[in-house]
Amino acid sequence: MDFNLSSEHKMVQRMVRDFAQKEVAPVIKEWDRKQDMAPFVLPRMAELGILGVCIPVRYGGQGMDYITLGLVCEELEAIDSTLRVVMSVHMGLCCLGIFQLGTEEQKHEHLIPLARGEKIGAYGLTEPGVGSDPANISSTARLERDEYIINGEKMWISLATKAHTVLWFARTAPKGEIPHEGITAFILDTSLAGVTRGDIHGKLGVRAGSTGWINCQDVRLPMGNRLGEEGEGFKIAMSCLDNGRYTVGSGAVGLIRACIEASVSYANERHAFGRPISRFQLIQQKIAKMAQSYEAARLLNLQAGWMKNQGLRNTKETSLAKWFATDASFAAASEAIQVHGAYGYSDEYDVERFLRNARGGIIYEGSSEIQTLIQAGYALGLRDDSPLRCELPGYDPDDWQTGA
Amino acid sequence: MNIVVCVKQAPDTAATVTVQDGKVSWGDAPLVLNPWDEYAVEQALLTKEEHGGKITAISLGPEDAKEALKTALAMGVDEAILVSDPAFAGADTLVASKVLAAAISKVEAVDLIFFGRSAVDSDSGVLGAQVARRLGWPSLSLVAAVNNLSPEGGTIEVERMIDEGRQIVKGSLPVVVSVVKGINEPRYPSFMGIRKASRAEIPLWTAVDLGLTAVPSPAMTWPEIFAPLKIETKCEFIEGETPVVIAEKLADRLMEEKVI
């Protein structure tokens, strides 16, 4: 068993760390307060190639592996969760969905501009009335000659107002006895007539990001924009989440690391009772627990990334990694505030933002309760991974790094 | 233009450096491309982008100094060469300059050599000038801007950062240029560069390859290394009604402390 990262991994890690630290860290508080995304973030991530990190070169990407994707997420979220959210929806949910399930034609038309960062991707499953129960979505798609007419509203959509391409899930058949059977996936172009959208403000965290709603009113979508078969949408949505959750889990690892770094630095600096507070055992306990969860979360996520590289089904491992890492990141952020005392409660330090940001991770892309049920299902033998028509391709460096 | 950039592997500046038994340790912190050398690599890349040519990065150091060369490759240099031999261990700048000059002489028709201002670990800052002397070329040190470079005319004009300000100096090619921070903004390695770097075969040149039959012993040794004593600092806020009052109080305090 080899736990070493390759020199390629380390170089990417360093490059993304430098970008996030030098360019985003100095201004993140300002944008968090403004509740807006810094306008340079997406173009800069595109320019650096981060938006295509684990897509083969022939589809406009950088040809790195899935472990690299996880490392990128860790580095980005160590500065701010909103940076990692970009990777979750653009790469994890949208690009990898099209890469896994799109036809060759769809990959050329949609994946290449996304992987090059010329276009931004998002994922529209959640609706105002449907979150943990996506089989009950009510958006519709009606086939009229060679076009689908899309109607419905999606809510809590990351990058809602930035995305050009959205994986959109809608009902092509009325709700029957098995509700998820009538759902179909589409590649929606947000510039089409009938698409309206907006951002939601007043969120607890991820304030320097874009989260919003998208509404489709009689949007005419060419038949060629259907992803997969009619009725296959629910399986596609769940399969995409195997990748989205991986990015969320890997990002949470970075958030825990940031909590450790902030806490260690503050605990060594702050004195109480004539000593640095790092010399007190109750402070040490908090930091030790963060270190423990960091290592465990990191290994769980690397395992999921390794399985993706091997082309192995990883629904169970990814769910576990996401569940553990996000819960642990919230706990770490809360304890990091405690280490900082009253200063941690103010936005003079980063840890209050870490806590607000970490809170989202235990809700989106499958709440901790949903992950609990998934794990219980596996442990009790109540759940089985039914095979997919198209699995996510495993990593092949020679193939992925070869040009068009 | 044939450009050489000399780089060194150094501990990450974020590392906690300690001294144990007269040896410097940076724990398990990673070794990186010397941060000052990033400016030299960037300047080489900018020069190539403007005038064309080829860039060779050379590093003198142990086997793992290849990682620093990989960073240079990932940033975009064309080739990298590691100069390494047990005989070079403990080299001071006199020895290092002899070895590097021999290595540079092996690279075909070099017009321009870039150095960073110094290495963050040993911090001597003289290697560029020493290599220039060994090669018999002009040395332009502490360069903050290259105003004019004419490969055809074989001339270069630079701004040197000196205590009094900026000094404009003209020189002729081939030349050795050591650059300071601020001359440019070093780029991040690109993914394409990283892919190339991770697959690159980096040739290793030994003393024999360089035709150095006898490697001189260093003239300088470091008999003792110790960590500087920790200085306790105290922060004092000077307050007052108006800026004038604050300034007066500050001036009084500084005179009291014999700072001014």
Side-chain angles (χ1 to χ4, degrees):
Chain A
M1 194 175 289
D2 185 356
F3 283 93
N4 283 312
L5 295 177
S6 69
S7 75
E8 211 168 83
H9 290 142
K10 288 184 202 161
M11 279 191 270
V12 174
Q13 204 175 29
R14 185 152 200 96
M15 183 266 267
V16 177
R17 183 178 301 175
D18 280 352
F19 155 68
Q21 277 181 351
K22 284 187 195 158
E23 300 183 28
V24 184
V27 296
I28 189 60
K29 275 184 199 164
E30 186 189 322
W31 290 99
D32 188 78
R33 281 195 199 118
K34 278 190 201 164
Q35 301 199 39
D36 204 355
M37 194 170 200
F40 69 85
V41 164
L42 291 172
R44 195 71 181 115
M45 285 173 81
E47 191 184 3
L48 294 172
I50 299 172
L51 295 183
V53 58
C54 59
I55 296 295
V57 171
R58 69 173 176 283
Y59 295 129
Q62 304 297 340
M64 301 289 162
D65 68 354
Y66 298 105
I67 287 184
T68 311
L69 171 63
L71 297 172
V72 166
C73 291
E74 179 180 337
E75 293 309 323
L76 292 175
E77 192 148 8
I79 297 301
D80 195 68
S81 301
T82 55
L83 299 176
R84 189 271 309 149
V85 168
V86 172
M87 297 311 287
S88 294
V89 297
H90 170 85
M91 174 55 69
L93 294 170
C94 187
C95 287
L96 288 177
I98 299 174
F99 176 49
Q100 176 178 350
L101 293 136
T103 61
E104 205 51 35
E105 209 178 347
Q106 287 173 331
K107 287 179 201 170
H108 275 96
E109 190 181 342
H110 303 289
L111 182 57
I112 290 177
L114 286 165
R116 285 186 183 150
E118 294 159 1
K119 287 190 174 175
I120 299 298
Y123 175 89
L125 178 64
T126 298
E127 295 183 352
V130 178
S132 292
D133 180 21
N136 273 309
I137 57 167
S138 50
S139 287
T140 57
R142 191 178 76 247
L143 188 62
E144 236 178 52
R145 285 187 299 277
D146 54 354
E147 283 179 327
Y148 281 98
I149 314 298
I150 312 277
N151 278 289
E153 177 150 326
K154 299 291 175 181
M155 184 76 171
W156 304 114
I157 304 305
S158 299
L159 303 183
T161 57
K162 314 287 177 199
H164 307 90
T165 304
V166 181
L167 287 198
W168 185 275
F169 297 89
R171 199 164 276 296
T172 39
K175 254 181 244 182
E177 280 192 15
I178 309 170
H180 65 71
E181 276 186 348
I183 297 172
T184 303
F186 297 92
I187 304 170
L188 176 77
D189 175 348
T190 54
S191 68
L192 289 174
V195 177
T196 49
R197 47 193 176 153
D199 274 326
I200 301 165
H201 291 108
K203 302 189 306 276
L204 177 68
V206 289
R207 291 186 164 199
S210 144
T211 315
W213 54 270
I214 306 178
N215 188 292
C216 283
Q217 185 135 31
D218 294 327
V219 175
R220 307 185 79 88
L221 199 61
M223 236 171 102
N225 281 40
R226 189 186 72 210
L227 183 67
E229 314 281 336
E230 263 202 25
E232 203 187 11
F234 188 77
K235 275 193 168 180
I236 292 177
M238 294 303 112
S239 186
C240 289
L241 284 171
D242 283 353
N243 301 322
R245 282 173 188 160
Y246 171 61
T247 62
V248 176
S250 303
V253 174
L255 192 51
I256 302 172
R257 196 183 81 205
C259 290
I260 298 174
E261 282 167 7
S263 300
V264 166
S265 149
Y266 187 80
N268 279 329
E269 194 176 276
R270 171 84 179 185
H271 282 64
F273 307 102
R275 283 191 287 169
I277 61 168
S278 61
R279 295 296 166 267
F280 295 108
Q281 288 188 339
L282 287 176
I283 297 293
Q284 291 180 356
Q285 184 187 42
K286 295 180 196 309
I287 291 170
K289 282 208 166 154
M290 290 180 209
Q292 179 193 45
S293 63
Y294 171 71
E295 291 297 335
R298 184 170 176 274
L299 288 173
L300 284 172
N301 279 285
L302 287 173
Q303 172 184 247
W306 177 85
M307 290 180 79
K308 287 178 196 295
N309 277 355
Q310 305 299 313
L312 300 169
R313 183 69 176 264
N314 54 85
T315 306
K316 177 181 155 190
E317 291 75 11
T318 297
S319 149
L320 188 62
K322 187 266 180 189
W323 175 29
F324 181 81
T326 51
D327 274 1
S329 73
F330 183 65
S334 181
E335 287 295 59
I337 291 181
Q338 202 67 13
V339 169
H340 285 68
Y343 286 103
Y345 197 66
S346 89
D347 71 359
E348 186 183 340
Y349 285 86
D350 291 320
V351 288
E352 63 85 34
R353 196 179 77 251
F354 294 163
L355 180 89
R356 291 188 285 104
N357 286 346
R359 193 63 188 80
I362 54 188
I363 301 174
Y364 50 64
E365 304 219 20
S367 65
S368 283
E369 287 74 11
I370 291 294
Q371 311 303 341
T372 307
L373 295 178
I374 291 175
Q375 294 306 319
Y378 282 116
L380 291 165
L382 304 172
R383 191 188 161 98
D384 210 3
D385 292 328
S386 51
L388 295 166
R389 188 173 54 81
C390 286
E391 297 282 358
L392 180 72
Y395 182 62
D396 176 348
D398 294 328
D399 180 41
W400 286 40
Q401 298 193 348
T402 310
Chain B
M1 293 203 84
N2 261 347
I3 304 166
V4 164
V5 56
C6 291
V7 299
K8 185 177 182 183
Q9 173 130 296
D12 194 327
T13 45
T16 311
V17 178
T18 55
V19 178
Q20 282 160 353
D21 307 324
K23 280 197 170 171
V24 180
S25 163
W26 46 87
D28 56 3
L31 288 161
V32 298
L33 173 63
N34 172 37
W36 301 119
D37 294 345
E38 287 183 17
Y39 297 93
V41 173
E42 179 64 33
Q43 200 57 35
L45 293 168
L46 292 172
T47 308
K48 180 186 158 179
E49 279 162 12
E50 197 181 336
H51 299 285
K54 185 180 144 190
I55 307 169
T56 308
I58 299 181
S59 186
L60 167 63
E63 180 82 22
D64 65 5
K66 274 187 183 169
E67 293 303 314
L69 286 169
K70 280 186 182 174
T71 306
L73 283 167
M75 286 174 76
V77 310
D78 301 291
E79 271 179 33
I81 295 159
L82 177 67
V83 180
S84 192
D85 195 301
F88 304 151
D92 63 0
T93 58
L94 270 177
V95 178
S97 62
K98 189 176 172 90
V99 175
L100 282 175
I104 290 159
S105 305
K106 233 177 107 92
V107 179
E108 206 182 337
V110 177
D111 303 293
L112 193 51
I113 304 170
F114 285 108
F115 277 85
R117 62 165 298 164
S118 62
V120 292
D121 50 0
S122 51
D123 208 24
S124 73
V126 294
L127 194 56
Q130 285 173 318
V131 167
R133 178 69 187 85
R134 298 245 187 224
L135 293 167
W137 297 2
S139 159
L140 298 171
S141 60
L142 304 177
V143 169
V146 177
N147 293 343
N148 258 307
L149 174 63
S150 163
E152 301 77 28
T155 56
I156 186 169
E157 183 190 299
V158 302
E159 283 178 34
R160 295 186 64 232
M161 187 86 91
I162 57 173
D163 284 348
E164 295 79 6
R166 297 248 177 145
Q167 183 183 50
I168 295 178
V169 184
K170 286 183 181 171
S172 59
L173 303 181
V175 66
V176 177
V177 175
S178 77
V179 302
V180 296
K181 180 184 175 179
I183 186 170
N184 54 44
E185 189 54 53
R187 67 195 67 187
Y188 306 124
S190 68
F191 281 103
M192 203 167 84
I194 289 171
R195 292 200 305 265
K196 192 184 95 182
S198 70
R199 287 169 183 213
E201 292 287 333
I202 297 176
L204 189 151
W205 290 357
T206 62
V208 173
D209 296 324
L210 298 180
L212 292 171
T213 43
V215 180
S217 353
M220 193 189 75
T221 54
W222 297 10
E224 194 190 350
I225 298 174
F226 55 90
L229 291 174
K230 268 201 177 164
I231 301 166
E232 285 291 321
T233 50
K234 216 172 68 186
C235 187
E236 188 180 324
F237 288 94
I238 311 278
E239 284 167 20
E241 299 279 300
T242 65
V244 175
V245 175
I246 298 172
E248 278 172 1
K249 277 194 193 171
L250 177 63
D252 287 346
R253 282 291 289 123
L254 291 174
M255 278 192 270
E256 215 176 284
E257 295 288 335
K258 300 194 169 53
V259 178
I260 52 174

